[in-house]
Amino acid sequence: MSVMIRGEDRARLKVTGDIEAELAVPTGGTGRCWLSFSDGTLVEAAYGKDDDCRFAVSEEGAGIARIQRDGAADVLRLDWRVEWVTVAAAGNAVRAGRGEPMPVLPGLFG
């Protein structure tokens, strides 16, 4: 069980596998968008000047995400039972900041 995603052009992403769909790409003029999957995987998609789509895994979820080259563009494969996928423009998505780690209290361990 898996899905594969490839950029068709700057306007749409083609999803095949467990889910079959074409998703509109809401880049908001930045050439970037975020894909979020039901397993918790978060992927950034960015378009180059030649409309080639490149993927980068930002957060790994339960599935195994693999990115393969196909000509000038990437193909994203997510091996897991995917129930849904959503796309958001880079300016319409936020992530929690990673704060400072909690200090280890003296004498707690040892």
Short mmCIF file of all heavy atoms in Angstrom, two decimals, residues 22-90:
data_model
loop_
_atom_site.label_atom_id
_atom_site.label_comp_id
_atom_site.label_asym_id
_atom_site.label_seq_id
_atom_site.Cartn_x
_atom_site.Cartn_y
_atom_site.Cartn_z
N GLU A 22 -5.77 14.45 -8.79
CA GLU A 22 -4.93 15.56 -9.20
C GLU A 22 -5.22 16.69 -8.24
O GLU A 22 -6.36 17.08 -8.04
CB GLU A 22 -5.22 15.98 -10.64
CG GLU A 22 -4.63 15.03 -11.64
CD GLU A 22 -4.65 15.57 -13.06
OE1 GLU A 22 -5.03 16.74 -13.25
OE2 GLU A 22 -4.29 14.81 -13.96
N LEU A 23 -4.17 17.20 -7.59
CA LEU A 23 -4.32 18.25 -6.61
C LEU A 23 -3.82 19.58 -7.17
O LEU A 23 -2.76 19.63 -7.79
CB LEU A 23 -3.52 17.92 -5.34
CG LEU A 23 -3.89 16.62 -4.63
CD1 LEU A 23 -2.91 16.33 -3.51
CD2 LEU A 23 -5.31 16.71 -4.09
N ALA A 24 -4.58 20.63 -6.92
CA ALA A 24 -4.15 21.96 -7.33
C ALA A 24 -2.96 22.39 -6.46
O ALA A 24 -2.92 22.11 -5.27
CB ALA A 24 -5.29 22.96 -7.18
N VAL A 25 -1.99 23.05 -7.07
CA VAL A 25 -0.80 23.50 -6.36
C VAL A 25 -0.99 24.97 -5.97
O VAL A 25 -0.92 25.84 -6.82
CB VAL A 25 0.46 23.34 -7.24
CG1 VAL A 25 1.68 23.89 -6.53
CG2 VAL A 25 0.66 21.89 -7.62
N PRO A 26 -1.20 25.24 -4.69
CA PRO A 26 -1.38 26.61 -4.23
C PRO A 26 -0.06 27.22 -3.77
O PRO A 26 0.19 27.38 -2.58
CB PRO A 26 -2.33 26.44 -3.06
CG PRO A 26 -1.92 25.12 -2.47
CD PRO A 26 -1.47 24.27 -3.64
N THR A 27 0.81 27.58 -4.69
CA THR A 27 2.13 28.07 -4.30
C THR A 27 2.10 29.50 -3.76
O THR A 27 3.05 29.92 -3.12
CB THR A 27 3.11 28.02 -5.48
OG1 THR A 27 2.65 28.88 -6.51
CG2 THR A 27 3.29 26.61 -5.97
N GLY A 28 1.05 30.23 -4.05
CA GLY A 28 0.97 31.61 -3.56
C GLY A 28 2.06 32.49 -4.12
O GLY A 28 2.48 33.45 -3.50
N GLY A 29 2.58 32.14 -5.30
CA GLY A 29 3.60 32.93 -5.95
C GLY A 29 5.02 32.64 -5.48
O GLY A 29 5.98 33.17 -6.01
N THR A 30 5.19 31.75 -4.48
CA THR A 30 6.52 31.45 -3.95
C THR A 30 7.20 30.30 -4.68
O THR A 30 8.40 30.12 -4.56
CB THR A 30 6.45 31.08 -2.46
OG1 THR A 30 5.73 29.84 -2.33
CG2 THR A 30 5.80 32.17 -1.65
N GLY A 31 6.42 29.50 -5.41
CA GLY A 31 6.98 28.31 -6.04
C GLY A 31 7.14 27.15 -5.09
O GLY A 31 7.70 26.13 -5.42
N ARG A 32 6.62 27.30 -3.85
CA ARG A 32 6.71 26.25 -2.84
C ARG A 32 5.35 25.96 -2.25
O ARG A 32 4.50 26.84 -2.14
CB ARG A 32 7.64 26.68 -1.70
CG ARG A 32 9.06 26.87 -2.09
CD ARG A 32 9.90 27.22 -0.88
NE ARG A 32 9.11 27.11 0.33
CZ ARG A 32 9.16 27.95 1.36
NH1 ARG A 32 9.94 28.93 1.38
NH2 ARG A 32 8.41 27.80 2.42
N CYS A 33 5.16 24.70 -1.82
CA CYS A 33 3.95 24.32 -1.10
C CYS A 33 4.29 23.15 -0.17
O CYS A 33 5.38 22.58 -0.25
CB CYS A 33 2.81 23.97 -2.04
SG CYS A 33 3.11 22.54 -3.10
N TRP A 34 3.37 22.83 0.73
CA TRP A 34 3.55 21.75 1.69
C TRP A 34 2.53 20.66 1.44
O TRP A 34 1.36 20.95 1.21
CB TRP A 34 3.39 22.27 3.11
CG TRP A 34 4.46 23.19 3.53
CD1 TRP A 34 4.44 24.56 3.50
CD2 TRP A 34 5.74 22.83 4.04
NE1 TRP A 34 5.63 25.06 3.95
CE2 TRP A 34 6.45 24.02 4.30
CE3 TRP A 34 6.37 21.61 4.30
CZ2 TRP A 34 7.75 24.02 4.81
CZ3 TRP A 34 7.66 21.62 4.81
CH2 TRP A 34 8.33 22.81 5.06
N LEU A 35 2.96 19.41 1.52
CA LEU A 35 2.07 18.26 1.44
C LEU A 35 2.06 17.59 2.80
O LEU A 35 3.12 17.34 3.38
CB LEU A 35 2.56 17.25 0.41
CG LEU A 35 2.51 17.70 -1.04
CD1 LEU A 35 3.86 18.23 -1.46
CD2 LEU A 35 2.11 16.55 -1.90
N SER A 36 0.88 17.32 3.30
CA SER A 36 0.72 16.67 4.59
C SER A 36 -0.05 15.38 4.38
O SER A 36 -1.03 15.35 3.64
CB SER A 36 -0.04 17.60 5.54
OG SER A 36 -0.24 16.97 6.78
N PHE A 37 0.39 14.30 5.02
CA PHE A 37 -0.22 12.98 4.84
C PHE A 37 -0.79 12.48 6.16
O PHE A 37 -0.34 12.85 7.24
CB PHE A 37 0.84 11.99 4.34
CG PHE A 37 1.39 12.34 3.00
CD1 PHE A 37 2.47 13.20 2.88
CD2 PHE A 37 0.84 11.82 1.85
CE1 PHE A 37 3.00 13.52 1.64
CE2 PHE A 37 1.35 12.13 0.61
CZ PHE A 37 2.42 13.00 0.50
N SER A 38 -1.77 11.57 6.05
CA SER A 38 -2.46 11.05 7.22
C SER A 38 -1.53 10.30 8.18
O SER A 38 -1.84 10.17 9.36
CB SER A 38 -3.60 10.13 6.80
OG SER A 38 -3.13 9.07 5.97
N ASP A 39 -0.39 9.84 7.73
CA ASP A 39 0.54 9.12 8.61
C ASP A 39 1.45 10.06 9.40
O ASP A 39 2.24 9.62 10.21
CB ASP A 39 1.40 8.14 7.81
CG ASP A 39 2.51 8.84 7.05
OD1 ASP A 39 2.25 9.90 6.45
OD2 ASP A 39 3.64 8.33 7.07
N GLY A 40 1.35 11.37 9.15
CA GLY A 40 2.17 12.34 9.85
C GLY A 40 3.35 12.87 9.05
O GLY A 40 4.09 13.72 9.52
N THR A 41 3.54 12.38 7.83
CA THR A 41 4.63 12.85 6.98
C THR A 41 4.33 14.25 6.46
O THR A 41 3.21 14.54 6.05
CB THR A 41 4.85 11.89 5.80
OG1 THR A 41 5.17 10.59 6.32
CG2 THR A 41 5.98 12.35 4.91
N LEU A 42 5.35 15.11 6.49
CA LEU A 42 5.24 16.47 5.97
C LEU A 42 6.34 16.65 4.93
O LEU A 42 7.51 16.40 5.21
CB LEU A 42 5.40 17.49 7.09
CG LEU A 42 5.32 18.96 6.69
CD1 LEU A 42 3.93 19.30 6.15
CD2 LEU A 42 5.65 19.85 7.89
N VAL A 43 5.96 17.07 3.73
CA VAL A 43 6.90 17.19 2.61
C VAL A 43 6.79 18.57 2.00
O VAL A 43 5.69 19.09 1.80
CB VAL A 43 6.60 16.12 1.52
CG1 VAL A 43 7.47 16.31 0.31
CG2 VAL A 43 6.77 14.72 2.10
N GLU A 44 7.95 19.18 1.71
CA GLU A 44 7.96 20.45 0.99
C GLU A 44 8.16 20.17 -0.48
O GLU A 44 9.02 19.38 -0.87
CB GLU A 44 9.09 21.33 1.49
CG GLU A 44 9.12 22.68 0.79
CD GLU A 44 10.25 23.57 1.27
OE1 GLU A 44 11.17 23.07 1.92
OE2 GLU A 44 10.20 24.77 0.97
N ALA A 45 7.35 20.79 -1.32
CA ALA A 45 7.50 20.71 -2.77
C ALA A 45 7.91 22.09 -3.26
O ALA A 45 7.33 23.09 -2.85
CB ALA A 45 6.19 20.28 -3.43
N ALA A 46 8.92 22.14 -4.12
CA ALA A 46 9.40 23.41 -4.65
C ALA A 46 9.57 23.27 -6.16
O ALA A 46 10.06 22.25 -6.64
CB ALA A 46 10.71 23.80 -4.00
N TYR A 47 9.18 24.31 -6.87
CA TYR A 47 9.28 24.31 -8.32
C TYR A 47 10.45 25.17 -8.76
O TYR A 47 10.63 26.28 -8.28
CB TYR A 47 7.99 24.83 -8.95
CG TYR A 47 6.89 23.81 -8.90
CD1 TYR A 47 6.06 23.70 -7.80
CD2 TYR A 47 6.71 22.92 -9.94
CE1 TYR A 47 5.07 22.75 -7.73
CE2 TYR A 47 5.72 21.97 -9.89
CZ TYR A 47 4.90 21.89 -8.79
OH TYR A 47 3.93 20.93 -8.73
N GLY A 48 11.23 24.63 -9.70
CA GLY A 48 12.34 25.37 -10.27
C GLY A 48 11.88 26.21 -11.44
O GLY A 48 10.70 26.24 -11.80
N LYS A 49 12.81 26.86 -12.10
CA LYS A 49 12.47 27.75 -13.21
C LYS A 49 11.93 27.00 -14.43
O LYS A 49 11.24 27.56 -15.25
CB LYS A 49 13.68 28.58 -13.60
CG LYS A 49 14.86 27.75 -14.06
CD LYS A 49 16.04 28.62 -14.41
CE LYS A 49 17.16 27.71 -14.86
NZ LYS A 49 18.42 27.98 -14.34
N ASP A 50 12.24 25.70 -14.53
CA ASP A 50 11.75 24.91 -15.67
C ASP A 50 10.53 24.08 -15.32
O ASP A 50 10.26 23.07 -15.96
CB ASP A 50 12.88 23.99 -16.18
CG ASP A 50 14.05 24.78 -16.73
OD1 ASP A 50 13.81 25.85 -17.32
OD2 ASP A 50 15.19 24.33 -16.56
N ASP A 51 9.78 24.48 -14.28
CA ASP A 51 8.59 23.77 -13.82
C ASP A 51 8.88 22.37 -13.30
O ASP A 51 7.99 21.54 -13.21
CB ASP A 51 7.51 23.70 -14.91
CG ASP A 51 6.87 25.04 -15.18
OD1 ASP A 51 7.05 25.95 -14.35
OD2 ASP A 51 6.20 25.18 -16.21
N ASP A 52 10.14 22.09 -12.96
CA ASP A 52 10.46 20.79 -12.38
C ASP A 52 10.15 20.84 -10.89
O ASP A 52 10.45 21.81 -10.21
CB ASP A 52 11.92 20.41 -12.62
CG ASP A 52 12.89 21.49 -12.15
OD1 ASP A 52 12.56 22.67 -12.30
OD2 ASP A 52 13.95 21.13 -11.62
N CYS A 53 9.50 19.81 -10.39
CA CYS A 53 9.08 19.74 -8.99
C CYS A 53 10.10 18.93 -8.21
O CYS A 53 10.44 17.82 -8.59
CB CYS A 53 7.70 19.10 -8.90
SG CYS A 53 7.05 19.07 -7.22
N ARG A 54 10.57 19.50 -7.10
CA ARG A 54 11.53 18.83 -6.22
C ARG A 54 10.88 18.67 -4.85
O ARG A 54 10.23 19.59 -4.36
CB ARG A 54 12.82 19.64 -6.09
CG ARG A 54 13.53 19.94 -7.40
CD ARG A 54 14.04 18.71 -8.13
NE ARG A 54 14.91 17.89 -7.35
CZ ARG A 54 16.24 17.92 -7.39
NH1 ARG A 54 16.85 18.77 -8.17
NH2 ARG A 54 16.95 17.12 -6.62
N PHE A 55 11.04 17.50 -4.25
CA PHE A 55 10.47 17.22 -2.94
C PHE A 55 11.57 17.12 -1.88
O PHE A 55 12.68 16.70 -2.17
CB PHE A 55 9.70 15.90 -2.96
CG PHE A 55 8.50 15.89 -3.87
CD1 PHE A 55 8.51 15.16 -5.03
CD2 PHE A 55 7.37 16.63 -3.54
CE1 PHE A 55 7.41 15.14 -5.87
CE2 PHE A 55 6.27 16.63 -4.38
CZ PHE A 55 6.28 15.88 -5.53
N ALA A 56 11.22 17.49 -0.65
CA ALA A 56 12.11 17.32 0.50
C ALA A 56 11.26 16.94 1.70
O ALA A 56 10.29 17.63 2.02
CB ALA A 56 12.88 18.60 0.79
N VAL A 57 11.60 15.82 2.35
CA VAL A 57 10.86 15.38 3.53
C VAL A 57 11.27 16.27 4.70
O VAL A 57 12.43 16.35 5.06
CB VAL A 57 11.14 13.90 3.85
CG1 VAL A 57 10.44 13.47 5.13
CG2 VAL A 57 10.71 13.02 2.68
N SER A 58 10.28 16.94 5.29
CA SER A 58 10.53 17.83 6.42
C SER A 58 10.30 17.11 7.75
O SER A 58 11.05 17.30 8.69
CB SER A 58 9.61 19.04 6.33
OG SER A 58 9.81 19.91 7.40
N GLU A 59 9.27 16.29 7.82
CA GLU A 59 8.96 15.49 9.01
C GLU A 59 8.60 14.09 8.56
O GLU A 59 7.74 13.92 7.71
CB GLU A 59 7.79 16.09 9.79
CG GLU A 59 8.05 17.42 10.42
CD GLU A 59 9.00 17.34 11.60
OE1 GLU A 59 9.07 16.28 12.27
OE2 GLU A 59 9.67 18.35 11.87
N GLU A 60 9.25 13.10 9.14
CA GLU A 60 8.93 11.72 8.81
C GLU A 60 7.76 11.26 9.66
O GLU A 60 7.70 11.51 10.85
CB GLU A 60 10.13 10.82 9.06
CG GLU A 60 11.27 11.11 8.11
CD GLU A 60 12.40 10.13 8.26
OE1 GLU A 60 12.20 9.02 8.82
OE2 GLU A 60 13.51 10.46 7.82
N GLY A 61 6.82 10.60 9.00
CA GLY A 61 5.68 10.03 9.69
C GLY A 61 5.88 8.53 9.86
O GLY A 61 7.02 8.05 9.88
N ALA A 62 4.79 7.80 9.95
CA ALA A 62 4.86 6.35 10.16
C ALA A 62 5.34 5.62 8.91
O ALA A 62 5.95 4.56 9.01
CB ALA A 62 3.49 5.83 10.59
N GLY A 63 5.07 6.17 7.74
CA GLY A 63 5.44 5.51 6.49
C GLY A 63 6.89 5.74 6.10
O GLY A 63 7.61 6.50 6.74
N ILE A 64 7.29 5.06 5.05
CA ILE A 64 8.64 5.22 4.51
C ILE A 64 8.53 6.09 3.27
O ILE A 64 7.91 5.71 2.28
CB ILE A 64 9.26 3.86 4.16
CG1 ILE A 64 9.38 3.01 5.42
CG2 ILE A 64 10.62 4.04 3.50
CD1 ILE A 64 9.77 1.57 5.15
N ALA A 65 9.12 7.27 3.33
CA ALA A 65 9.09 8.22 2.21
C ALA A 65 10.38 8.09 1.42
O ALA A 65 11.47 8.12 1.99
CB ALA A 65 8.92 9.65 2.73
N ARG A 66 10.24 7.95 0.11
CA ARG A 66 11.40 7.87 -0.77
C ARG A 66 11.20 8.86 -1.91
O ARG A 66 10.11 8.99 -2.45
CB ARG A 66 11.55 6.47 -1.35
CG ARG A 66 11.93 5.46 -0.30
CD ARG A 66 12.12 4.12 -0.91
NE ARG A 66 10.78 3.57 -1.16
CZ ARG A 66 10.55 2.44 -1.78
NH1 ARG A 66 11.55 1.75 -2.27
NH2 ARG A 66 9.34 2.00 -1.95
N ILE A 67 12.28 9.53 -2.27
CA ILE A 67 12.25 10.48 -3.37
C ILE A 67 13.19 9.97 -4.45
O ILE A 67 14.35 9.69 -4.18
CB ILE A 67 12.68 11.89 -2.90
CG1 ILE A 67 11.72 12.38 -1.80
CG2 ILE A 67 12.72 12.86 -4.07
CD1 ILE A 67 12.19 13.62 -1.08
N GLN A 68 12.64 9.82 -5.66
CA GLN A 68 13.43 9.34 -6.79
C GLN A 68 13.41 10.38 -7.89
O GLN A 68 12.42 11.09 -8.07
CB GLN A 68 12.86 8.02 -7.31
CG GLN A 68 12.84 6.93 -6.27
CD GLN A 68 12.05 5.72 -6.72
OE1 GLN A 68 11.03 5.85 -7.37
NE2 GLN A 68 12.54 4.54 -6.36
N ARG A 69 14.49 10.49 -8.63
CA ARG A 69 14.56 11.40 -9.77
C ARG A 69 13.87 10.76 -10.97
O ARG A 69 13.99 9.58 -11.21
CB ARG A 69 16.01 11.69 -10.13
CG ARG A 69 16.80 12.41 -9.07
CD ARG A 69 16.40 13.82 -8.84
NE ARG A 69 16.78 14.65 -9.95
CZ ARG A 69 16.23 15.81 -10.22
NH1 ARG A 69 15.31 16.29 -9.44
NH2 ARG A 69 16.61 16.52 -11.23
N ASP A 70 13.14 11.58 -11.71
CA ASP A 70 12.51 11.17 -12.96
C ASP A 70 12.75 12.31 -13.94
O ASP A 70 11.97 13.25 -14.00
CB ASP A 70 11.02 10.91 -12.75
CG ASP A 70 10.34 10.43 -14.02
OD1 ASP A 70 11.03 9.93 -14.92
OD2 ASP A 70 9.10 10.56 -14.11
N GLY A 71 13.84 12.23 -14.69
CA GLY A 71 14.23 13.34 -15.56
C GLY A 71 14.68 14.50 -14.71
O GLY A 71 15.53 14.37 -13.85
N ALA A 72 14.07 15.67 -14.93
CA ALA A 72 14.44 16.86 -14.17
C ALA A 72 13.65 17.00 -12.87
O ALA A 72 13.98 17.83 -12.03
CB ALA A 72 14.22 18.11 -15.02
N ALA A 73 12.62 16.19 -12.70
CA ALA A 73 11.74 16.32 -11.55
C ALA A 73 11.89 15.13 -10.60
O ALA A 73 12.57 14.15 -10.90
CB ALA A 73 10.29 16.45 -12.01
N ASP A 74 11.23 15.23 -9.45
CA ASP A 74 11.22 14.17 -8.45
C ASP A 74 9.89 13.44 -8.47
O ASP A 74 8.86 14.00 -8.86
CB ASP A 74 11.40 14.74 -7.05
CG ASP A 74 12.79 15.24 -6.77
OD1 ASP A 74 13.71 14.91 -7.54
OD2 ASP A 74 12.97 15.95 -5.76
N VAL A 75 9.92 12.21 -7.98
CA VAL A 75 8.72 11.43 -7.70
C VAL A 75 8.80 11.04 -6.23
O VAL A 75 9.80 10.49 -5.79
CB VAL A 75 8.61 10.17 -8.58
CG1 VAL A 75 7.40 9.35 -8.18
CG2 VAL A 75 8.56 10.54 -10.05
N LEU A 76 7.76 11.36 -5.49
CA LEU A 76 7.69 11.03 -4.08
C LEU A 76 6.87 9.75 -3.92
O LEU A 76 5.76 9.66 -4.46
CB LEU A 76 7.02 12.16 -3.30
CG LEU A 76 6.70 11.88 -1.83
CD1 LEU A 76 7.97 11.78 -1.01
CD2 LEU A 76 5.78 12.94 -1.28
N ARG A 77 7.42 8.78 -3.22
CA ARG A 77 6.69 7.54 -2.94
C ARG A 77 6.61 7.41 -1.43
O ARG A 77 7.62 7.47 -0.73
CB ARG A 77 7.40 6.34 -3.53
CG ARG A 77 6.66 5.06 -3.25
CD ARG A 77 7.39 3.87 -3.81
NE ARG A 77 6.69 2.67 -3.44
CZ ARG A 77 6.23 1.79 -4.30
NH1 ARG A 77 6.42 1.95 -5.59
NH2 ARG A 77 5.59 0.73 -3.88
N LEU A 78 5.39 7.22 -0.93
CA LEU A 78 5.15 7.03 0.49
C LEU A 78 4.55 5.65 0.69
O LEU A 78 3.43 5.39 0.26
CB LEU A 78 4.24 8.11 1.05
CG LEU A 78 3.97 8.06 2.55
CD1 LEU A 78 5.25 8.21 3.35
CD2 LEU A 78 2.98 9.14 2.95
N ASP A 79 5.34 4.76 1.28
CA ASP A 79 4.89 3.39 1.53
C ASP A 79 4.21 3.30 2.89
O ASP A 79 4.88 3.25 3.92
CB ASP A 79 6.08 2.42 1.46
CG ASP A 79 6.62 2.29 0.05
OD1 ASP A 79 5.82 2.32 -0.90
OD2 ASP A 79 7.84 2.16 -0.10
N TRP A 80 2.91 3.34 2.85
CA TRP A 80 2.07 3.26 4.04
C TRP A 80 0.63 3.34 3.58
O TRP A 80 0.35 3.75 2.46
CB TRP A 80 2.38 4.42 4.99
CG TRP A 80 1.78 4.27 6.36
CD1 TRP A 80 0.66 4.91 6.82
CD2 TRP A 80 2.24 3.46 7.42
NE1 TRP A 80 0.41 4.54 8.11
CE2 TRP A 80 1.37 3.64 8.51
CE3 TRP A 80 3.31 2.57 7.57
CZ2 TRP A 80 1.53 2.98 9.72
CZ3 TRP A 80 3.47 1.93 8.78
CH2 TRP A 80 2.59 2.13 9.83
N ARG A 81 -0.28 2.97 4.42
CA ARG A 81 -1.70 3.10 4.11
C ARG A 81 -2.07 4.57 4.27
O ARG A 81 -2.19 5.08 5.39
CB ARG A 81 -2.54 2.23 5.03
CG ARG A 81 -4.01 2.43 4.88
CD ARG A 81 -4.52 1.74 3.63
NE ARG A 81 -5.95 1.92 3.55
CZ ARG A 81 -6.56 2.34 2.47
NH1 ARG A 81 -5.88 2.57 1.38
NH2 ARG A 81 -7.86 2.48 2.44
N VAL A 82 -2.19 5.29 3.17
CA VAL A 82 -2.49 6.72 3.19
C VAL A 82 -3.99 6.90 3.07
O VAL A 82 -4.61 6.44 2.11
CB VAL A 82 -1.75 7.45 2.04
CG1 VAL A 82 -2.15 8.92 2.02
CG2 VAL A 82 -0.25 7.30 2.21
N GLU A 83 -4.58 7.56 4.06
CA GLU A 83 -6.02 7.82 4.06
C GLU A 83 -6.35 9.16 3.43
O GLU A 83 -7.41 9.33 2.86
CB GLU A 83 -6.56 7.75 5.48
CG GLU A 83 -6.40 6.36 6.08
CD GLU A 83 -6.84 6.30 7.53
OE1 GLU A 83 -7.40 7.29 8.04
OE2 GLU A 83 -6.60 5.26 8.15
N TRP A 84 -5.44 10.13 3.57
CA TRP A 84 -5.65 11.44 2.96
C TRP A 84 -4.33 12.14 2.76
O TRP A 84 -3.34 11.83 3.40
CB TRP A 84 -6.61 12.31 3.78
CG TRP A 84 -6.25 12.46 5.22
CD1 TRP A 84 -6.76 11.77 6.27
CD2 TRP A 84 -5.29 13.38 5.79
NE1 TRP A 84 -6.18 12.18 7.45
CE2 TRP A 84 -5.27 13.16 7.18
CE3 TRP A 84 -4.44 14.34 5.27
CZ2 TRP A 84 -4.46 13.88 8.05
CZ3 TRP A 84 -3.62 15.07 6.13
CH2 TRP A 84 -3.65 14.83 7.50
N VAL A 85 -4.36 13.09 1.85
CA VAL A 85 -3.23 13.98 1.59
C VAL A 85 -3.80 15.36 1.34
O VAL A 85 -4.86 15.51 0.74
CB VAL A 85 -2.36 13.50 0.41
CG1 VAL A 85 -3.17 13.39 -0.86
CG2 VAL A 85 -1.16 14.40 0.19
N THR A 86 -3.12 16.38 1.83
CA THR A 86 -3.57 17.74 1.61
C THR A 86 -2.38 18.60 1.20
O THR A 86 -1.24 18.29 1.53
CB THR A 86 -4.27 18.31 2.87
OG1 THR A 86 -4.83 19.58 2.57
CG2 THR A 86 -3.31 18.43 4.02
N VAL A 87 -2.67 19.68 0.49
CA VAL A 87 -1.63 20.59 0.00
C VAL A 87 -1.96 21.99 0.48
O VAL A 87 -3.11 22.42 0.42
CB VAL A 87 -1.58 20.57 -1.55
CG1 VAL A 87 -0.51 21.52 -2.05
CG2 VAL A 87 -1.34 19.17 -2.06
N ALA A 88 -0.94 22.70 0.95
CA ALA A 88 -1.12 24.09 1.40
C ALA A 88 0.00 24.95 0.85
O ALA A 88 1.14 24.49 0.72
CB ALA A 88 -1.12 24.18 2.92
N ALA A 89 -0.34 26.17 0.50
CA ALA A 89 0.69 27.12 0.07
C ALA A 89 1.66 27.36 1.22
O ALA A 89 1.28 27.28 2.39
CB ALA A 89 0.04 28.45 -0.35
N ALA A 90 2.90 27.63 0.89
CA ALA A 90 3.93 27.81 1.92
C ALA A 90 3.54 28.90 2.92
O ALA A 90 3.81 28.78 4.11
CB ALA A 90 5.27 28.15 1.27
#
